[in-house]
Amino acid sequence: MASARSTFRSTGVAIRLTLLSTVVLGIAYPLAVWGVGQAAFHDQANGSMVTDSSGKVVGSSLIGQSFDGSSAARWFQSRPSAAGEKGYDANASSGSNLGPNNPDLVKAIRERQQAIAKADGVPASQVPADAVTASGSGLDPDISPEYALQQVSRVASARGMSESAVRTLVDEHTEARQLGFLGEPVVNVLELNLALAKAS
């Protein structure tokens, strides 16, 4: 009898602890984190969405996207993507998973190098590495300042703008190393293209 009472009491304690843990860790804590995120970091908590001049959401500053099609020459190009069938798929984030000596990867890099060199009017040997290789996630929204500056002449010509005006936009959208020493300077392609559209 005493043993049954003790078991019943232990079961009751376990149920109460389970309910308390569910309320605190499954409801209260997530709501608190969500609330702080919305209050203090609203843009970041909602995906760092970027809008155009009309207020329409055109992408996220954290996820790369393609600027191809018939008007591709008018836009700064992102680095290649192996995420998903068409690239830049946030639901299929990944690299190519091909080793540096893989014949398919070597061939793809050479083809990209030749195409970019022709489009931007530079020798193939001057095409930066980030112009021809995908990032590990396939979603990198940034390119190197070197790759951005290489594209200035093409973009300026396609838009009828002066190269100095386009170069100024690149300079304005070049982000320095984090804390002055972490990583490398980068240019966010989506934000640069939005500034370009606004200026031209």
Side-chain angles (χ1 to χ4, degrees):
M1 188 76 169
S3 177
R5 196 177 300 133
S6 176
T7 301
F8 182 74
R9 190 179 322 136
S10 296
T11 302
V13 169
I15 290 172
R16 288 195 296 276
L17 279 174
T18 299
L19 290 174
L20 179 63
S21 297
T22 299
V23 170
V24 172
L25 300 175
I27 299 173
Y29 178 72
L31 281 176
V33 170
W34 177 82
V36 169
Q38 291 299 316
F41 308 100
H42 184 267
D43 288 343
Q44 295 92 328
N46 290 292
S48 299
M49 305 309 284
V50 176
T51 57
D52 62 13
S53 57
S54 67
K56 178 185 175 185
V57 173
V58 292
S60 168
S61 64
L62 303 176
I63 299 177
Q65 60 181 273
S66 176
F67 295 91
D68 54 11
S70 59
S71 63
R74 295 170 51 82
W75 303 106
F76 284 90
Q77 297 300 307
S78 304
R79 65 185 301 180
S81 172
E85 197 172 306
K86 297 182 179 178
Y88 310 101
D89 184 350
N91 292 319
S93 175
S94 70
S96 67
N97 294 327
L98 300 177
N101 296 322
N102 183 286
D104 293 334
L105 180 62
V106 172
K107 180 183 176 188
I109 287 174
R110 286 187 180 148
E111 288 174 353
R112 291 171 189 156
Q113 194 175 41
Q114 293 301 322
I116 291 169
K118 182 179 179 182
D120 292 341
V122 298
S125 60
Q126 291 183 13
V127 175
D130 63 312
V132 294
T133 56
S135 65
S137 69
L139 304 175
D140 192 345
D142 305 316
I143 57 175
S144 65
E146 293 76 20
Y147 184 30
L149 289 170
Q150 176 188 291
Q151 300 181 64
V152 165
S153 178
R154 168 180 51 79
V155 171
S157 175
R159 288 184 172 270
M161 296 175 66
S162 70
E163 289 190 22
S164 62
V166 178
R167 192 174 293 109
T168 297
L169 287 175
V170 171
D171 291 340
E172 290 173 351
H173 288 84
T174 298
E175 300 171 21
R177 290 178 170 90
Q178 295 179 19
L179 303 177
F181 66 94
L182 293 175
E184 295 293 329
V186 294
V187 178
N188 187 285
V189 179
L190 175 59
E191 292 176 353
L192 175 58
N193 279 337
L194 286 174
L196 182 66
K198 188 175 180 181
S200 59

